[in-house]
Amino acid sequence: MLADGPEKTGDIERIKNEGKELTKEEKQRLRKEKKQQKKNKEKKDEKAPLESEKEKKPASSSPASQATAQPPTQKASSGVPAPAPVPVAASEAPSPVDKPAKSKAELKAERRARQEAERASKQSKKGEVGQQAAPSKAKAPPSELQPVVKRLPEHIQVDNPEVLKKLAKKLERQQIPLRSDYGYKVSLFSHLHQYSRKAPLTQQLSIPSSVIHPAIVQLGLQYSQGIVAGSNARSVALLHAFKQIIRDYTTPPNEELSRDLVNKLKPYISFLNQCRPLSASMGNAIKYIKKEISNIPSQCKEEEAKSKLQDCIDCYINEKIILAAKAIAKYAIEKISDGDVILVYGCSSLVNHILCEAFEKNRKFRVIVVDSRPRLEGREALRRLVQRGISCTYVLISAVSYILPEVSKVFLGAHALLANGYVMSRVGTSQIALVAKAFNVPVLVCCETYKFCERVQTDSFVSNELDDPDDLIVTRKGKTHLEHWQDVSSLGLLNLVYDVTPPDFVDLVITDLGMIPCTSVPVVLRVKNVDQ
Amino acid sequence: MPGADKETDLSERIEAFLSDLKRGGSGTGPLRGSAETARETTALLRRVTAQARWSSAGDLMEIIRKEGRRMTAAQPSETTVGNMIRRVLKIIREEYARSRGSSEETDQQESLHKLLTSGGLSEENFRQHFAPLKANVIEAINELLTELEGTTDNIAMQALEHIHSNEVIMTIGRSRTVEAFLKDAARKRKFHVIVAECAPFCQGHEMATSLSKAGIETTVITDAAIFAVMSRVNKVIIGTQTVLANGGLRAVNGTHTLALAAKHHSTPLIVCAPMFKLSPQFPNEEDTFHKFVSPHEVLPFTEGEILSKVNVHCPVFDYVPPELITLFISNIGGHAPSYIYRLMSELYHPEDHEL
């Protein structure tokens, strides 16, 4: 099959002709490798994985370990003990530094060997270029483990000036303004961006922008101001914006729709990433759309292709979000009995949906809504529940150990479920799970399968989002203590957005595939990959 | 008559103190710290001793007990008032015993032998009159006042024994004792402090500004981020409102979550509490343990349309069980939580536990 193609392009041609022999992922991988080898020849220096032009995996394929390998060495001098992340997260020791300049023949031989090894399926490959040896990374399709070099997303490498330069160049090429960081960043988080809400990216755009579709500009502004928040809402808004783009799209002459549309989407995605880092659910949705677009056969007519794509998007939203919510509600209602006191945190659209459905089905329960500064999202959940007539109590998160003796169950929503069983959710979720565990109250997490993500993470530092630090400022009794925090050099404000909950705090995860324990997440990911 | 003037003057002062207590406890953060309350209570008791009319120790103790009951009823959550009263009662007992000439030890210890030989109840009725008793008692109360004045400094002096360089220390809310502790250590060592803001009163903000002005690297985090950040913290140092008789704490709300997070990460939890915060209460009275303030702090009246349909709670204190605490640092040194009961017996007489 693939055995002895001497030319790289020859290989690709043969693969193209034989079409179905290789999966799409292998095709993409080969293309990536080709590009990477070209880059390696251009700069012959050892560097950690470079930011590629393909923004395929903005959030979902970064190994946390490689991120920790860099910042701690730079931070050791800053006086904060941070060596802990390295042994904890880096169960895979070698960072992908070993891409020295190789000769062409060596590269070919390597590729051939790799392809032959891949043909012998069910054999794990170790020791190839940029390998990680951890079994916890369930990234590969079931029949083989991908020897892909993981690319770290840019948004967790802010302390690396080369990465920043690359990003600036890329954005310049795509004609998107670069958003600058704001305020003093706490040293533990110097590898993340911190933006101010008062300086949205759209201020630096010229209106009307010729590069970015107005629906995307609107969406970016809604994200950065927090008007559209919550992972489901953001994904749905994104998909609707994409539908609009597809409607307005016309294929330029001499171009194929499947290639060109994907290229058109790239600057939009960069723009949205600048406005607010993409969530795991958005990342998965984008992957799906790109796959669908590239699968459009070339002889398809434009109108047909466009309507097909729009149908795909509608189908995705319907299946993965709306119907999934119904299925999850069905399972969850079995877990709610009469007389229950249910604790929820913040505003999760899925959990609110479950509670409303349970109330429709005449279950008798009452709800305690826990909220936290500075977002105070619990008030929105409170409004929705009270409108339906559910009896509610409202407290702040510092009072949770007072109210927990009354609680019989805790329902939490999730932003993403990571491949090592950790639940990534709004900051404060892990705290509630901790206190619930101490009081022996069961914790149930509700999450659709489209939010499952192949990343792994063990702490809330390496990959997180920093919100505007000015949100913490509050005026009480006419006094605002933190008003001039910028003037004091040793004072920093930290406004985290996400945190990770270890799987031993979670008793059950309710998904549209059923009720699973936290540790079964990689199994579900594997099953999903086989289906695709 | 000068006597009557003194008495009215005294009762005026007591009334003023009581109304201060009632107002100050509205939960919007203590307008006065516990140390000031303790000092004022002790000064007032000294005045009572000096100006009230009494002939024997028993009378004095009755008067003080009566006033004490009124004071604790004015603000039950302010336990330092009750603690100071009990200290003064103990002082009176000691001075009486010394005047009588009997040793203090035998009077205090409850033993099986004593029960059998003395026929049950102690025969002390404190009816004997001793002329120098008044002076002695006032002198002892003065010593107590000096001790109270030096507590914060005594605790702060121990800071260097517990904080090394390049540490990350976490604290919650605002405690003057912890502030002095950290500032004292900052003179010689460099470390980083993370302050949890403790909503809804957000006293952590004041603490953070004050610490950062002293040159300490400070970060303010929200209460929700306590567990997320805890893995990088080396020590947790907190203050408390009261230390209970079993070694547990009654501290500002959010402290229990902080203690659980510290336990999960095996981070030592150090409590800086001067001796006057030690109280002979136990945490088993559910309805009297907690104190609540206006729910307006949590859900303001601007959310009017849902306010009437929901219950909102705003508790001020949290109970922290003694198993989660590693060390108490007080003005007389460091102790384990299991030792607190012994300190209690040195400070207060068992018959004074109920005023």
Side-chain angles (χ1 to χ4, degrees), chain A residues 476-477 479, chain B residues 19-37 40 75 78 174 176 203 206 291:
Chain A
R476 283 185 50 88
K477 298 205 228 184
K479 282 204 275 203
Chain B
S19 54
D20 253 351
L21 275 181
K22 278 195 197 131
R23 246 185 300 125
S26 61
T28 47
L31 293 177
R32 48 169 69 203
S34 321
E36 286 150 50
T37 316
E40 287 201 25
Q75 188 59 250
E78 193 61 59
R174 174 154 197 237
R176 286 173 192 74
Q203 294 185 306
E206 251 185 275
K291 173 178 156 186

PDB file of all heavy atoms in Angstrom, chain A residues 476-477 479, chain B residues 19-37 40 75 78 174 176 203 206 291:
ATOM      1  N   ARG A 476     -18.390  49.342  49.343  1.00  0.00           N
ATOM      2  CA  ARG A 476     -19.293  49.051  50.449  1.00  0.00           C
ATOM      3  C   ARG A 476     -19.269  50.221  51.391  1.00  0.00           C
ATOM      4  O   ARG A 476     -18.220  50.663  51.808  1.00  0.00           O
ATOM      5  CB  ARG A 476     -18.818  47.804  51.180  1.00  0.00           C
ATOM      6  CG  ARG A 476     -19.152  46.546  50.443  1.00  0.00           C
ATOM      7  CD  ARG A 476     -18.757  45.378  51.284  1.00  0.00           C
ATOM      8  NE  ARG A 476     -19.279  45.500  52.634  1.00  0.00           N
ATOM      9  CZ  ARG A 476     -20.461  45.070  53.027  1.00  0.00           C
ATOM     10  NH1 ARG A 476     -21.244  44.471  52.160  1.00  0.00           N
ATOM     11  NH2 ARG A 476     -20.858  45.205  54.264  1.00  0.00           N
ATOM     12  N   LYS A 477     -20.439  50.689  51.767  1.00  0.00           N
ATOM     13  CA  LYS A 477     -20.571  51.808  52.696  1.00  0.00           C
ATOM     14  C   LYS A 477     -19.753  53.001  52.241  1.00  0.00           C
ATOM     15  O   LYS A 477     -19.084  53.638  53.034  1.00  0.00           O
ATOM     16  CB  LYS A 477     -20.081  51.402  54.091  1.00  0.00           C
ATOM     17  CG  LYS A 477     -20.879  50.286  54.708  1.00  0.00           C
ATOM     18  CD  LYS A 477     -20.740  50.407  56.198  1.00  0.00           C
ATOM     19  CE  LYS A 477     -20.413  49.121  56.834  1.00  0.00           C
ATOM     20  NZ  LYS A 477     -20.369  49.226  58.267  1.00  0.00           N
ATOM     21  N   LYS A 479     -17.017  53.135  50.725  1.00  0.00           N
ATOM     22  CA  LYS A 479     -15.557  52.999  50.652  1.00  0.00           C
ATOM     23  C   LYS A 479     -15.193  51.929  49.641  1.00  0.00           C
ATOM     24  O   LYS A 479     -15.738  50.827  49.669  1.00  0.00           O
ATOM     25  CB  LYS A 479     -14.992  52.598  52.005  1.00  0.00           C
ATOM     26  CG  LYS A 479     -14.907  53.765  52.960  1.00  0.00           C
ATOM     27  CD  LYS A 479     -13.871  53.523  54.014  1.00  0.00           C
ATOM     28  CE  LYS A 479     -14.508  52.721  55.130  1.00  0.00           C
ATOM     29  NZ  LYS A 479     -13.807  52.870  56.385  1.00  0.00           N
TER      30      LYS A 479
ATOM     31  N   SER B  19     -25.169  49.823  75.176  1.00  0.00           N
ATOM     32  CA  SER B  19     -25.746  50.251  73.896  1.00  0.00           C
ATOM     33  C   SER B  19     -24.702  50.191  72.791  1.00  0.00           C
ATOM     34  O   SER B  19     -25.024  49.864  71.651  1.00  0.00           O
ATOM     35  CB  SER B  19     -26.356  51.644  74.000  1.00  0.00           C
ATOM     36  OG  SER B  19     -25.411  52.535  74.502  1.00  0.00           O
ATOM     37  N   ASP B  20     -23.450  50.444  73.138  1.00  0.00           N
ATOM     38  CA  ASP B  20     -22.383  50.273  72.155  1.00  0.00           C
ATOM     39  C   ASP B  20     -22.319  48.854  71.650  1.00  0.00           C
ATOM     40  O   ASP B  20     -22.171  48.595  70.455  1.00  0.00           O
ATOM     41  CB  ASP B  20     -21.032  50.599  72.809  1.00  0.00           C
ATOM     42  CG  ASP B  20     -20.498  51.927  72.324  1.00  0.00           C
ATOM     43  OD1 ASP B  20     -21.081  52.475  71.375  1.00  0.00           O
ATOM     44  OD2 ASP B  20     -19.505  52.371  72.892  1.00  0.00           O
ATOM     45  N   LEU B  21     -22.421  47.937  72.601  1.00  0.00           N
ATOM     46  CA  LEU B  21     -22.363  46.531  72.234  1.00  0.00           C
ATOM     47  C   LEU B  21     -23.502  46.173  71.296  1.00  0.00           C
ATOM     48  O   LEU B  21     -23.328  45.487  70.296  1.00  0.00           O
ATOM     49  CB  LEU B  21     -22.455  45.657  73.488  1.00  0.00           C
ATOM     50  CG  LEU B  21     -21.170  45.377  74.263  1.00  0.00           C
ATOM     51  CD1 LEU B  21     -21.490  44.495  75.442  1.00  0.00           C
ATOM     52  CD2 LEU B  21     -20.157  44.700  73.383  1.00  0.00           C
ATOM     53  N   LYS B  22     -24.678  46.641  71.644  1.00  0.00           N
ATOM     54  CA  LYS B  22     -25.837  46.281  70.815  1.00  0.00           C
ATOM     55  C   LYS B  22     -25.690  46.829  69.411  1.00  0.00           C
ATOM     56  O   LYS B  22     -25.955  46.150  68.439  1.00  0.00           O
ATOM     57  CB  LYS B  22     -27.120  46.857  71.442  1.00  0.00           C
ATOM     58  CG  LYS B  22     -27.666  46.029  72.517  1.00  0.00           C
ATOM     59  CD  LYS B  22     -29.105  46.425  72.855  1.00  0.00           C
ATOM     60  CE  LYS B  22     -29.457  45.863  74.206  1.00  0.00           C
ATOM     61  NZ  LYS B  22     -30.043  46.777  75.122  1.00  0.00           N
ATOM     62  N   ARG B  23     -25.211  48.057  69.327  1.00  0.00           N
ATOM     63  CA  ARG B  23     -25.096  48.655  67.987  1.00  0.00           C
ATOM     64  C   ARG B  23     -23.971  48.036  67.203  1.00  0.00           C
ATOM     65  O   ARG B  23     -24.074  47.783  66.022  1.00  0.00           O
ATOM     66  CB  ARG B  23     -24.851  50.159  68.117  1.00  0.00           C
ATOM     67  CG  ARG B  23     -25.991  50.986  67.596  1.00  0.00           C
ATOM     68  CD  ARG B  23     -25.677  52.446  67.635  1.00  0.00           C
ATOM     69  NE  ARG B  23     -25.391  52.913  68.966  1.00  0.00           N
ATOM     70  CZ  ARG B  23     -24.269  53.546  69.274  1.00  0.00           C
ATOM     71  NH1 ARG B  23     -23.345  53.753  68.375  1.00  0.00           N
ATOM     72  NH2 ARG B  23     -24.057  53.963  70.508  1.00  0.00           N
ATOM     73  N   GLY B  24     -22.881  47.779  67.891  1.00  0.00           N
ATOM     74  CA  GLY B  24     -21.685  47.338  67.181  1.00  0.00           C
ATOM     75  C   GLY B  24     -21.814  45.965  66.585  1.00  0.00           C
ATOM     76  O   GLY B  24     -21.065  45.559  65.716  1.00  0.00           O
ATOM     77  N   GLY B  25     -22.814  45.238  67.042  1.00  0.00           N
ATOM     78  CA  GLY B  25     -22.908  43.865  66.574  1.00  0.00           C
ATOM     79  C   GLY B  25     -23.836  43.696  65.400  1.00  0.00           C
ATOM     80  O   GLY B  25     -24.354  42.622  65.160  1.00  0.00           O
ATOM     81  N   SER B  26     -24.060  44.768  64.641  1.00  0.00           N
ATOM     82  CA  SER B  26     -25.013  44.616  63.531  1.00  0.00           C
ATOM     83  C   SER B  26     -24.416  43.852  62.385  1.00  0.00           C
ATOM     84  O   SER B  26     -25.024  43.710  61.346  1.00  0.00           O
ATOM     85  CB  SER B  26     -25.477  45.984  63.060  1.00  0.00           C
ATOM     86  OG  SER B  26     -24.367  46.720  62.611  1.00  0.00           O
ATOM     87  N   GLY B  27     -23.228  43.370  62.540  1.00  0.00           N
ATOM     88  CA  GLY B  27     -22.710  42.412  61.574  1.00  0.00           C
ATOM     89  C   GLY B  27     -22.066  43.041  60.366  1.00  0.00           C
ATOM     90  O   GLY B  27     -21.594  42.361  59.484  1.00  0.00           O
ATOM     91  N   THR B  28     -22.021  44.341  60.309  1.00  0.00           N
ATOM     92  CA  THR B  28     -21.393  44.930  59.139  1.00  0.00           C
ATOM     93  C   THR B  28     -19.901  45.078  59.397  1.00  0.00           C
ATOM     94  O   THR B  28     -19.301  46.072  59.120  1.00  0.00           O
ATOM     95  CB  THR B  28     -21.992  46.315  58.873  1.00  0.00           C
ATOM     96  OG1 THR B  28     -22.016  47.026  60.115  1.00  0.00           O
ATOM     97  CG2 THR B  28     -23.377  46.194  58.337  1.00  0.00           C
ATOM     98  N   GLY B  29     -19.353  44.054  59.991  1.00  0.00           N
ATOM     99  CA  GLY B  29     -17.948  44.110  60.377  1.00  0.00           C
ATOM    100  C   GLY B  29     -17.853  44.758  61.732  1.00  0.00           C
ATOM    101  O   GLY B  29     -18.582  45.692  62.034  1.00  0.00           O
ATOM    102  N   PRO B  30     -17.015  44.276  62.583  1.00  0.00           N
ATOM    103  CA  PRO B  30     -16.950  44.853  63.932  1.00  0.00           C
ATOM    104  C   PRO B  30     -16.444  46.278  63.866  1.00  0.00           C
ATOM    105  O   PRO B  30     -15.415  46.561  63.275  1.00  0.00           O
ATOM    106  CB  PRO B  30     -15.980  43.944  64.670  1.00  0.00           C
ATOM    107  CG  PRO B  30     -15.195  43.267  63.620  1.00  0.00           C
ATOM    108  CD  PRO B  30     -16.060  43.197  62.415  1.00  0.00           C
ATOM    109  N   LEU B  31     -17.191  47.160  64.448  1.00  0.00           N
ATOM    110  CA  LEU B  31     -16.736  48.538  64.492  1.00  0.00           C
ATOM    111  C   LEU B  31     -15.564  48.655  65.451  1.00  0.00           C
ATOM    112  O   LEU B  31     -14.769  49.552  65.386  1.00  0.00           O
ATOM    113  CB  LEU B  31     -17.882  49.461  64.960  1.00  0.00           C
ATOM    114  CG  LEU B  31     -19.030  49.550  63.979  1.00  0.00           C
ATOM    115  CD1 LEU B  31     -20.145  50.399  64.540  1.00  0.00           C
ATOM    116  CD2 LEU B  31     -18.552  50.136  62.671  1.00  0.00           C
ATOM    117  N   ARG B  32     -15.505  47.735  66.361  1.00  0.00           N
ATOM    118  CA  ARG B  32     -14.373  47.688  67.280  1.00  0.00           C
ATOM    119  C   ARG B  32     -13.860  46.271  67.268  1.00  0.00           C
ATOM    120  O   ARG B  32     -14.627  45.333  67.189  1.00  0.00           O
ATOM    121  CB  ARG B  32     -14.856  48.066  68.679  1.00  0.00           C
ATOM    122  CG  ARG B  32     -16.131  47.266  68.975  1.00  0.00           C
ATOM    123  CD  ARG B  32     -16.582  47.325  70.368  1.00  0.00           C
ATOM    124  NE  ARG B  32     -17.078  48.643  70.715  1.00  0.00           N
ATOM    125  CZ  ARG B  32     -17.122  49.066  71.982  1.00  0.00           C
ATOM    126  NH1 ARG B  32     -16.686  48.299  72.925  1.00  0.00           N
ATOM    127  NH2 ARG B  32     -17.569  50.255  72.271  1.00  0.00           N
ATOM    128  N   GLY B  33     -12.554  46.134  67.331  1.00  0.00           N
ATOM    129  CA  GLY B  33     -12.011  44.783  67.358  1.00  0.00           C
ATOM    130  C   GLY B  33     -12.259  44.126  68.698  1.00  0.00           C
ATOM    131  O   GLY B  33     -12.615  44.768  69.675  1.00  0.00           O
ATOM    132  N   SER B  34     -12.012  42.818  68.746  1.00  0.00           N
ATOM    133  CA  SER B  34     -12.251  42.107  70.005  1.00  0.00           C
ATOM    134  C   SER B  34     -11.323  42.599  71.100  1.00  0.00           C
ATOM    135  O   SER B  34     -11.693  42.619  72.283  1.00  0.00           O
ATOM    136  CB  SER B  34     -12.036  40.610  69.838  1.00  0.00           C
ATOM    137  OG  SER B  34     -12.514  40.186  68.629  1.00  0.00           O
ATOM    138  N   ALA B  35     -10.121  43.012  70.720  1.00  0.00           N
ATOM    139  CA  ALA B  35      -9.174  43.464  71.740  1.00  0.00           C
ATOM    140  C   ALA B  35      -9.700  44.708  72.439  1.00  0.00           C
ATOM    141  O   ALA B  35      -9.621  44.834  73.664  1.00  0.00           O
ATOM    142  CB  ALA B  35      -7.819  43.732  71.089  1.00  0.00           C
ATOM    143  N   GLU B  36     -10.266  45.610  71.647  1.00  0.00           N
ATOM    144  CA  GLU B  36     -10.803  46.820  72.274  1.00  0.00           C
ATOM    145  C   GLU B  36     -11.963  46.497  73.189  1.00  0.00           C
ATOM    146  O   GLU B  36     -12.097  47.064  74.273  1.00  0.00           O
ATOM    147  CB  GLU B  36     -11.264  47.806  71.205  1.00  0.00           C
ATOM    148  CG  GLU B  36     -10.124  48.482  70.503  1.00  0.00           C
ATOM    149  CD  GLU B  36     -10.516  48.827  69.070  1.00  0.00           C
ATOM    150  OE1 GLU B  36     -11.596  49.424  68.893  1.00  0.00           O
ATOM    151  OE2 GLU B  36      -9.768  48.462  68.166  1.00  0.00           O
ATOM    152  N   THR B  37     -12.822  45.585  72.719  1.00  0.00           N
ATOM    153  CA  THR B  37     -13.956  45.196  73.571  1.00  0.00           C
ATOM    154  C   THR B  37     -13.459  44.614  74.876  1.00  0.00           C
ATOM    155  O   THR B  37     -13.967  44.948  75.961  1.00  0.00           O
ATOM    156  CB  THR B  37     -14.822  44.138  72.860  1.00  0.00           C
ATOM    157  OG1 THR B  37     -15.008  44.517  71.520  1.00  0.00           O
ATOM    158  CG2 THR B  37     -16.149  43.984  73.546  1.00  0.00           C
ATOM    159  N   GLU B  40     -12.131  47.367  77.099  1.00  0.00           N
ATOM    160  CA  GLU B  40     -13.192  48.211  77.664  1.00  0.00           C
ATOM    161  C   GLU B  40     -13.964  47.480  78.738  1.00  0.00           C
ATOM    162  O   GLU B  40     -14.332  48.063  79.766  1.00  0.00           O
ATOM    163  CB  GLU B  40     -14.138  48.662  76.555  1.00  0.00           C
ATOM    164  CG  GLU B  40     -13.510  49.701  75.682  1.00  0.00           C
ATOM    165  CD  GLU B  40     -14.560  50.502  74.943  1.00  0.00           C
ATOM    166  OE1 GLU B  40     -15.714  50.582  75.424  1.00  0.00           O
ATOM    167  OE2 GLU B  40     -14.218  51.033  73.892  1.00  0.00           O
ATOM    168  N   GLN B  75     -25.138  41.416  73.578  1.00  0.00           N
ATOM    169  CA  GLN B  75     -24.546  40.958  72.327  1.00  0.00           C
ATOM    170  C   GLN B  75     -23.995  39.554  72.549  1.00  0.00           C
ATOM    171  O   GLN B  75     -22.809  39.396  72.834  1.00  0.00           O
ATOM    172  CB  GLN B  75     -23.429  41.926  71.911  1.00  0.00           C
ATOM    173  CG  GLN B  75     -22.868  41.676  70.539  1.00  0.00           C
ATOM    174  CD  GLN B  75     -23.931  41.765  69.468  1.00  0.00           C
ATOM    175  OE1 GLN B  75     -24.303  40.741  68.883  1.00  0.00           O
ATOM    176  NE2 GLN B  75     -24.403  42.952  69.217  1.00  0.00           N
ATOM    177  N   GLU B  78     -20.631  38.410  70.981  1.00  0.00           N
ATOM    178  CA  GLU B  78     -19.366  38.992  71.386  1.00  0.00           C
ATOM    179  C   GLU B  78     -18.914  38.293  72.651  1.00  0.00           C
ATOM    180  O   GLU B  78     -19.227  38.734  73.767  1.00  0.00           O
ATOM    181  CB  GLU B  78     -19.566  40.493  71.614  1.00  0.00           C
ATOM    182  CG  GLU B  78     -18.281  41.284  71.746  1.00  0.00           C
ATOM    183  CD  GLU B  78     -17.408  41.207  70.513  1.00  0.00           C
ATOM    184  OE1 GLU B  78     -17.868  41.593  69.438  1.00  0.00           O
ATOM    185  OE2 GLU B  78     -16.277  40.728  70.640  1.00  0.00           O
ATOM    186  N   ARG B 174     -10.362  39.703  57.509  1.00  0.00           N
ATOM    187  CA  ARG B 174      -9.454  40.657  58.139  1.00  0.00           C
ATOM    188  C   ARG B 174      -9.317  40.377  59.613  1.00  0.00           C
ATOM    189  O   ARG B 174     -10.290  40.376  60.342  1.00  0.00           O
ATOM    190  CB  ARG B 174     -10.004  42.070  57.943  1.00  0.00           C
ATOM    191  CG  ARG B 174      -9.191  43.072  58.683  1.00  0.00           C
ATOM    192  CD  ARG B 174      -9.269  44.416  58.077  1.00  0.00           C
ATOM    193  NE  ARG B 174      -8.169  45.192  58.604  1.00  0.00           N
ATOM    194  CZ  ARG B 174      -8.311  46.337  59.236  1.00  0.00           C
ATOM    195  NH1 ARG B 174      -9.509  46.825  59.418  1.00  0.00           N
ATOM    196  NH2 ARG B 174      -7.273  46.986  59.662  1.00  0.00           N
ATOM    197  N   ARG B 176      -6.828  41.634  62.822  1.00  0.00           N
ATOM    198  CA  ARG B 176      -5.719  42.525  63.196  1.00  0.00           C
ATOM    199  C   ARG B 176      -4.535  41.744  63.723  1.00  0.00           C
ATOM    200  O   ARG B 176      -3.380  42.128  63.511  1.00  0.00           O
ATOM    201  CB  ARG B 176      -6.184  43.527  64.242  1.00  0.00           C
ATOM    202  CG  ARG B 176      -7.065  44.605  63.657  1.00  0.00           C
ATOM    203  CD  ARG B 176      -7.642  45.486  64.735  1.00  0.00           C
ATOM    204  NE  ARG B 176      -8.681  46.328  64.210  1.00  0.00           N
ATOM    205  CZ  ARG B 176      -9.890  45.926  63.891  1.00  0.00           C
ATOM    206  NH1 ARG B 176     -10.211  44.666  64.040  1.00  0.00           N
ATOM    207  NH2 ARG B 176     -10.783  46.751  63.388  1.00  0.00           N
ATOM    208  N   GLN B 203     -14.018  41.982  53.736  1.00  0.00           N
ATOM    209  CA  GLN B 203     -13.000  42.587  54.579  1.00  0.00           C
ATOM    210  C   GLN B 203     -11.610  42.236  54.103  1.00  0.00           C
ATOM    211  O   GLN B 203     -10.633  42.861  54.494  1.00  0.00           O
ATOM    212  CB  GLN B 203     -13.178  42.102  56.005  1.00  0.00           C
ATOM    213  CG  GLN B 203     -14.462  42.611  56.579  1.00  0.00           C
ATOM    214  CD  GLN B 203     -14.566  42.221  58.018  1.00  0.00           C
ATOM    215  OE1 GLN B 203     -14.441  41.058  58.353  1.00  0.00           O
ATOM    216  NE2 GLN B 203     -14.754  43.198  58.851  1.00  0.00           N
ATOM    217  N   GLU B 206      -9.573  45.176  52.632  1.00  0.00           N
ATOM    218  CA  GLU B 206      -8.840  46.082  53.530  1.00  0.00           C
ATOM    219  C   GLU B 206      -7.534  45.465  53.964  1.00  0.00           C
ATOM    220  O   GLU B 206      -6.492  46.118  54.010  1.00  0.00           O
ATOM    221  CB  GLU B 206      -9.688  46.296  54.779  1.00  0.00           C
ATOM    222  CG  GLU B 206     -10.288  47.638  54.933  1.00  0.00           C
ATOM    223  CD  GLU B 206     -11.006  47.735  56.267  1.00  0.00           C
ATOM    224  OE1 GLU B 206     -12.174  47.324  56.331  1.00  0.00           O
ATOM    225  OE2 GLU B 206     -10.359  48.195  57.217  1.00  0.00           O
ATOM    226  N   LYS B 291     -25.059  33.365  63.927  1.00  0.00           N
ATOM    227  CA  LYS B 291     -25.592  34.725  63.954  1.00  0.00           C
ATOM    228  C   LYS B 291     -25.834  35.143  62.517  1.00  0.00           C
ATOM    229  O   LYS B 291     -25.017  34.878  61.646  1.00  0.00           O
ATOM    230  CB  LYS B 291     -24.560  35.638  64.615  1.00  0.00           C
ATOM    231  CG  LYS B 291     -24.908  37.078  64.571  1.00  0.00           C
ATOM    232  CD  LYS B 291     -23.847  37.871  65.293  1.00  0.00           C
ATOM    233  CE  LYS B 291     -23.843  39.293  64.764  1.00  0.00           C
ATOM    234  NZ  LYS B 291     -22.778  40.087  65.306  1.00  0.00           N
TER     235      LYS B 291
END
